[in-house]
Amino acid sequence: MDDCPKDICAVTDSSTEGVPASQPPLDPNGTTQRSSEELVARAIAPVKREFLRPPPSSRTTQNNPASDTNVKQPQANVVQEKKSKRQLKRERRQEQNSPLNLCPEIAKTGDVNACSYKDKCRFSHDIEAFMAQKPADLEGDCPFIKADAPCPYGLACRFAGTHKDNAPIATSNLLKKSSEVNGLSKDVQKLLWKNKMRFTKADAVVKSLGLAGPNWKVKKLVDKEEDEVGLDGSHAADETNCKKVVDDSVDCSECPSTFPAVVNAEEACETDELRPLKKAKLLVDEKCSDEGEDATVLENDNEKNSAETELADNVLAEPDRSPKICNLKDATVLEKYNEKKSAETELADDVHAEPDKSLKIHPREKMLIDFREKLYLAPLTTVGNLPFRRVCKTLGADVTCGEMAMCTNLLQGQASEWALLRRHSSEDLFGVQICGAYPDTVARTVELIEKECTVDFIDINMGCPIDIVVDKGAGSFLLTKPLRMKGIIQAASGTVDKPITVKVRTGYFGGKNRIDSLIADIGSWGATAVTIHGRSRQQRYSKLADWDYIYQCARKAPSTLQVLGNGDIFSYLDWNNRKTDSPELSTCMIARGALIKPWLFTEIKEQRHWDISSQERLNILKEYVRFGLEHWGSDKKGVETTRHFVLEWLSYACRYIPVGLLDVIPQRLNWRPPSYYGRDDLETLMASDSAADWIRISEMLLGKVPDGFTFAPKHKSNAYDRAENG
C-alpha cells in the first residue's frame, strides 16, 4: 500500500514472490489459511486481507532482542537490587534539594522573598539555577490561562512562555481545582490521622443492628471473666485473648480502655483495620495509673477494694468513646471542625424540630436515581480517572463513578485514596465506589463521604476479584458471606440518605452462581440498585459474560430494586440486544468497551458504527491531555503524571480495530487483533502493541520524554481486562 513504509512492505521471501505483501501466507494448495468464520470462531479479528501485515521474522527478533529502548525489558537472569527505605528516602531528599524543585510560592510570584519559611524551606529558592535547568516549554497554550486567570504554577509551568505579563498573581493552588470538588481538607485529615473523628450516626446504626464489631465481643469477654477483676482494678484477661478479639474485629477505635496495650500498628494493618489509638491510648493508660495511685492513699482495705471495684465496673460497663485531646493544637482543630458541623446540625434542627425517631425514612422512600436507559461508565482502576471520565462525558456518558477506594485508607486520611473521590463539575450524575470488609468500617466511610463530599450515590464493591482485596475479606470474597453482605448493606443504607448501590459477580466459584438466591434480599436490605457482572470471581475476565443468568436475576428482582447488567458491551448492537432480551434490566454498565473505544457512548446514542479516523482519535487524546494537565498540573511533575496515564490508556486503546478494516462488524471484545497496517501511518502507529510506539504517541502530545524514561503497563499483556473492578 502507498501508506505503508517501504522497508516494512518489502517482500524478501521467495515463496511469496508475486503476491502482495499485505496478503496472508498461502497453503501449498494456494488457498488462504482460514476464512473469516474460522477466525471469528478462534476469537481472532477478521481483518481484511489487504491490511494484514506479515508476522515479524524470528531471525530479526533474535538479532534485535531489545529494539524498544524506552521500554522495560524483562530480565529473567538479572536480579535487580532492591533499594532500602533509607536509600529511597535519601534519594527523595536529594531530589527535593535539586534546583529543579523550586519552591511553589516563589514559582507563583517570581519573588524570592515570597516564601514564609525562608531558610527552613525544603524547596530550592534559586530562580536562576531553576531557569537554567528547566526543560524547554511545550507547544500550545497553558491550560490555566482563561479570562486573565493566573496560572497556579507560575515559573514552573511548562507553558510559561504563553503566560500574560499583566496576569494577576496566583495565590492558591485551588485555582486549578475550581471546577473540582470532594477534596480532603487539612482539618479533617488531621482528625482522621489521630483517630479523633466522630461517627455518631454510623456507630448508632451498627449498634442497633447488633454489628458493633469489637465492642460487643470485648464486652462479652469482660462479662465472662468479671469475677477475675483484681483488687487494683486491673483485668485478668491476658493479651492473647484480647489480641484474638482485636484480630477478629473491624474497628479498634472504640475498644474499652481496659485493653490498651495489645493494639499496635502492625496488627491493625494485617487485619485491615483502622489506625491504632496511639496517643489517646496512652492517655487512657496514664489515667488508669493515676487513678490507681490515688486509690492507694485510702487507709481502709475494705474501702479501697470497694472503690476500685466500682471504678472497674464503670470502665467496663461504659467505655469512654469521646475523642481524646492530646494537646491544645488538636483541641483547636477538633473545636473548629465541630463548630462547622454543629452549625449544620442547628440548621437542620430548625427545619425539622424535634424529629420523631419512629418516623425514620424507610430505604424505599429515599431519594432514588433512575438508571433506566442511561449510559453508565463503570468505575475503572487506574484508567478511569477524572480526566478520562470528562472525555467520556463529552462523548455521551450519562452516569460516571469514581475509581474504587478502600474504606480503611479513606478512614486513615490517605490523600491518594481521597483523590479517587474527586468530581468535576461536568459530571452531573456522579457516584463513588468504596470497598470494605466489615459493616462498621463501611458505615463510618459512607457517613464520612456524606459529610465531606458531594455525590449522588454510593456504590459498594462486592465483586472485585483482585487477590489483595479478596485476601482482606472484601470484594468478591463477600459473595461467600451472605450474612456479612446483609450487615454491610443494612449498615450503609441506615447511616446515610444517599442511595446505596451494590456491584456483584454471579458467584465466587465458577459454575456455582448464587446471586439469584440473594437478589430479593439485597433489595430488602436497603440497596436501591445492583449491578451484576456476568462472570464469577474464579473466571476473572476469561470466557464471555453469562447474560442469560443476568436476565434470570433481573426477573427475580423485586420492583423496588433496579438491576444493571455488565459484561462485553462493545457496540450499539450489543446494547440493543441486551435491552431487548430483558426488558427488566434498567440499563447496562459499560466498562472495558469504553477503555478501548470511549466513543462507544456516541455510537449507542446515534445508533451507528463510527468508522473513526486516526486524526479524530488523536484529537480525543489531545482533549484528554488538556484535561489531565488541568487536573494533575502543568509543571514538570504534572506533565509526566499525565504522560503516564496517557500511556496506560494507550495500552488498552491499541486493541481497537477500525470498522473499515474488518470483514465482519462489529468488533467483539474478546477478539485478538492480528498484526495489521492502518489506512495511514498514524493509524498503523495506534494499532501497535509496542510500548515504544505508545511513547512516540505521547511525545506527539507532551513533548520528548525525560532522559532515562521507562514505562511498563500496570497490567499484564495477557490480562488486560484487570482494569475493571469486579
Short mmCIF file of all heavy atoms in Angstrom, two decimals, residues 107 280 504 563 571 585 644 658 722:
data_model
loop_
_atom_site.label_atom_id
_atom_site.label_comp_id
_atom_site.label_asym_id
_atom_site.label_seq_id
_atom_site.Cartn_x
_atom_site.Cartn_y
_atom_site.Cartn_z
N ALA A 107 7.67 30.16 42.79
CA ALA A 107 7.31 29.92 41.39
C ALA A 107 6.07 30.73 41.00
O ALA A 107 5.98 31.23 39.87
CB ALA A 107 7.08 28.44 41.16
N ALA A 280 -4.10 8.70 72.21
CA ALA A 280 -5.30 8.57 73.02
C ALA A 280 -5.21 7.35 73.91
O ALA A 280 -5.63 7.36 75.06
CB ALA A 280 -6.54 8.49 72.12
N VAL A 504 -21.84 -6.70 42.08
CA VAL A 504 -21.51 -8.08 42.42
C VAL A 504 -21.16 -8.85 41.16
O VAL A 504 -21.33 -8.36 40.04
CB VAL A 504 -22.70 -8.77 43.13
CG1 VAL A 504 -23.04 -8.08 44.44
CG2 VAL A 504 -23.93 -8.81 42.22
N VAL A 563 -31.91 -3.42 38.43
CA VAL A 563 -30.86 -4.37 38.07
C VAL A 563 -30.15 -3.87 36.83
O VAL A 563 -30.78 -3.56 35.81
CB VAL A 563 -31.44 -5.78 37.84
CG1 VAL A 563 -30.32 -6.74 37.43
CG2 VAL A 563 -32.15 -6.28 39.08
N SER A 571 -20.58 -2.50 21.35
CA SER A 571 -21.19 -1.84 20.20
C SER A 571 -22.62 -1.50 20.55
O SER A 571 -23.19 -2.00 21.53
CB SER A 571 -21.14 -2.73 18.96
OG SER A 571 -22.01 -3.84 19.11
N LEU A 585 -34.18 -5.26 32.74
CA LEU A 585 -32.92 -4.57 33.01
C LEU A 585 -33.13 -3.06 32.94
O LEU A 585 -33.73 -2.55 31.98
CB LEU A 585 -31.85 -4.98 32.00
CG LEU A 585 -31.12 -6.30 32.22
CD1 LEU A 585 -30.16 -6.55 31.07
CD2 LEU A 585 -30.37 -6.30 33.53
N HIS A 644 2.10 9.46 31.99
CA HIS A 644 1.98 8.09 32.50
C HIS A 644 0.57 7.54 32.25
O HIS A 644 0.41 6.40 31.79
CB HIS A 644 2.31 8.07 33.99
CG HIS A 644 1.98 6.77 34.67
ND1 HIS A 644 2.80 5.67 34.58
CD2 HIS A 644 0.92 6.40 35.44
CE1 HIS A 644 2.27 4.67 35.26
NE2 HIS A 644 1.12 5.09 35.79
N PRO A 658 -10.21 -0.42 13.45
CA PRO A 658 -11.16 0.43 12.72
C PRO A 658 -12.19 -0.39 11.96
O PRO A 658 -11.90 -1.48 11.44
CB PRO A 658 -10.26 1.24 11.78
CG PRO A 658 -8.92 1.25 12.45
CD PRO A 658 -8.81 -0.07 13.15
N ARG A 722 -7.89 -6.45 33.63
CA ARG A 722 -7.90 -6.24 35.07
C ARG A 722 -8.32 -4.83 35.48
O ARG A 722 -8.46 -4.56 36.66
CB ARG A 722 -6.51 -6.52 35.65
CG ARG A 722 -6.16 -7.99 35.64
CD ARG A 722 -4.88 -8.24 36.39
NE ARG A 722 -4.55 -9.65 36.40
CZ ARG A 722 -3.50 -10.16 37.04
NH1 ARG A 722 -2.69 -9.35 37.69
NH2 ARG A 722 -3.25 -11.44 37.02
#
